[in-house]
Amino acid sequence: MSGRSTERHVVVLTGAGISAEAGLATFRDAGGLWEGHRPEAVATPGAWARDPEMVWRFYQQRRAGLLAVEPTVAHRALAEFERTAAANGIGFDLISQNVDDLHVRAGSQPISMHGQLFELECERCGSRVVDREHVDPAVFVPCSACGLERLRPAVVWFGEVPRHLERIEQAVLKATEFVCCGTSGAVYPAAGLVAAARGRGARCWMQALEPPDNLDPLDRFVPGNATEALPAILEELLR
Ligand code: OAD
């Protein structure tokens, strides 16, 4: 095993854009989720407390929509890259802001910093369940452990702390190459990870339709669809 290869560590951060071609709307592009629904109106603990029916309807539509789509070439390329990188002694971490499970279905094990749509959790007893069956927008799912009448989506809402921040910090500290794919760089702390990696000397690629808010002149910006651009970046990383 060569000394150089064991020192390399590739970190990929994905956002809604990597799932756009699967058919899932992004948050901030034209036609994005938040156009019809202001984010602060649906994705906050306060909204859930004030109007749980509206918030539940919104998330149940997202959950039902997710059942109807499949991972794309971009999701599968990341899973394949992870296997090839491991075989070549290159470290790898996939961090995702996405609450869809398309990375998992493609064969990756992402660090899901904003939670998962198919998980529900109980605000009273803390139990968490995987639920792909109950997607009726008008029917709450009760807690089978303690009987509370409605579980909440196990996603991180505005004002809540993202998950796995210690693991994410460890990944960023190790990064020699950092790739952002399909994220506008508008929501922190996720948007700050690339700056932390860059500050430690990592080479950075930014892949999206438009230059992201957190693009730096030193970064390689690769415009275009993730299904074409991401596999090309990953191939370059293996050359
Ligand atoms: P955004 O909707 O903010 O940004 C989507 C990004 O994807 C933009 O940079 C687009 O240019 C890019 N994009 C769109 N289609 C693409 C395609 N086919 N190929 C490649 N890129 C494409 O989504 P996020 O950055 O993921 O947080 O949003 C970050 C967070 O804001 C979300 O995780 C969510 C939201 O509020 C929480 O819910 C806590």
Side-chain angles (χ1 to χ4, degrees), residues 147-207:
L148 187 72
E149 66 168 328
R150 49 180 174 247
L151 297 173
R152 62 165 274 180
V155 301
V156 174
W157 281 330
F158 288 97
E160 296 182 326
V161 180
R163 310 245 167 92
H164 311 301
L165 289 178
E166 280 183 23
R167 267 182 78 194
I168 290 170
E169 188 187 352
Q170 289 310 310
V172 171
L173 286 175
K174 284 186 271 181
T176 52
E177 285 110 328
F178 196 104
V179 181
C180 291
C181 177
T183 176
S184 58
V187 173
Y188 286 77
L193 300 177
V194 66
R198 198 189 289 126
R200 297 178 59 83
R203 291 194 298 151
C204 301
W205 284 255
M206 302 291 248
Q207 199 291 305

Side-chain angles (χ1 to χ4, degrees), residues 14-21 25-29 32-34 39 43 59 96-99 113-114 155-158 160 162 181-188 190 207-213 221-227 229:
T14 61
I18 195 173
S19 299
E21 290 165 271
T26 64
F27 295 94
R28 290 172 188 80
D29 292 319
L33 284 184
W34 302 134
Y59 279 98
S96 187
Q97 297 165 88
N98 296 345
V99 293
M113 63 186 299
H114 291 164
V155 301
V156 174
W157 281 330
F158 288 97
E160 296 182 326
C181 177
T183 176
S184 58
V187 173
Y188 286 77
Q207 199 291 305
L209 296 182
E210 307 286 339
D213 293 358
F221 172 54
V222 187
N225 282 320
T227 52

Side-chain angles (χ1 to χ4, degrees), residues 127-144:
S127 73
R128 198 177 280 180
V129 293
V130 174
D131 182 312
R132 289 182 167 77
E133 287 160 35
H134 303 102
V135 294
D136 186 330
V139 181
F140 287 116
V141 178
C143 178
S144 58

Side-chain angles (χ1 to χ4, degrees), residues 73-75 77-78 81 225-237:
V73 168
H75 297 97
L78 278 170
F81 178 82
N225 282 320
T227 52
E228 286 167 25
L230 184 62
I233 294 170
L234 297 175
E235 262 176 43
E236 191 181 331
L237 285 169

